[in-house]
Amino acid sequence: EVVMTQSPATLSVSPGERITLSCRASQSISNNLAWYQQKPGQAPRLLIYGASTRATGIPARFSGSGSGTEFTLTISSLQSEDFAVYYCHQYSNWPRFGGGTKVEI
Amino acid sequence: QVQLVQSGAEVKKPGASMKVSCQASGYTFTHYFMHWVRQAPGQGLEWMGWINPHSGGTNYAQNFEGRVTMTRDTSISTVYMELTRLKSDDTAVYFCAREGRGPLIEGAFDIWGQGTMVIVSP
């Protein structure tokens, strides 16, 4: 079973900042990783799949990188609508999510 | 447009069963696997299993094996998730999520239902 660990748990930032969220897999998952954004009371929204491919309609300020066990999600210039919880998700074998990173003001 | 619409909130007693539906529209229902994911209040996301709407084949997470059953009705493009022997810690929002098709996206969840809140309380 692959365990996904996200860090930090909470990130306090200001609009306009560049931020990087981390996700680590307990064993190699190649590039079988997705990132989701979830706002309160809403379903998660797919941002990135294949570790680095933006989903349809996702702004270019979101980018993903990594392979194997280390992955990052970068938001180049944080907008007010980006304050949310972000989850990574490995789909190399049994699907498993990370614990999430809350991005707050 | 592509969407998944889930059934409404439920309140159940411990020991009872729940059954949540998820109706798909805007795409060919049988071409995409459907997954179920739940989220306890204030907690993260937990994968429960998938169903292949074409064949009816299923695969369940070990945590739910023996308690969960996923089915589908292709005539109305709907999948169902039934969870039995409910406990208080089954209180959660339950989401259906479509698995993407194509290079790299296969395995990721590209479309989500709005979620169904289920409360398990005496």
Side-chain angles (χ1 to χ4, degrees), chain A residues 1 31-32 34 36 38 41-46 48-50 53 55 87 89 91 94-99, chain B residues 35 37 39 43-47 50 59-62 95 103-110 112-115:
Chain A
E1 180 180 315
N31 62 347
N32 295 306
Y36 303 86
Q38 187 179 34
Q42 296 185 17
R45 177 175 72 143
L46 179 64
I48 301 285
Y49 61 89
T53 302
Y87 293 97
H89 159 218
Y91 48 93
W94 296 96
R96 193 74 184 260
F97 294 90
Chain B
H35 295 248
V37 176
Q39 186 172 38
Q43 302 301 308
L45 301 167
E46 181 179 22
W47 177 74
W50 57 251
N59 204 351
Y60 304 137
Q62 198 168 13
F95 296 100
L104 299 180
I105 200 172
E106 201 160 302
F109 303 155
D110 63 350
W112 293 66
Q114 84 276 20

Side-chain angles (χ1 to χ4, degrees), chain B residues 91-121:
Chain B
T91 293
V93 177
Y94 290 79
F95 296 100
C96 57
R98 188 185 82 165
E99 179 180 325
R101 275 189 72 175
L104 299 180
I105 200 172
E106 201 160 302
F109 303 155
D110 63 350
I111 305 293
W112 293 66
Q114 84 276 20
T116 297
M117 180 74 217
V118 177
I119 296 172
V120 182
S121 178

Side-chain angles (χ1 to χ4, degrees), chain B residues 22-40:
Chain B
C22 169
Q23 185 169 40
S25 60
Y27 70 95
T28 303
F29 174 68
T30 53
H31 286 187
Y32 294 78
F33 279 38
M34 196 75 78
H35 295 248
W36 288 90
V37 176
R38 76 176 185 180
Q39 186 172 38

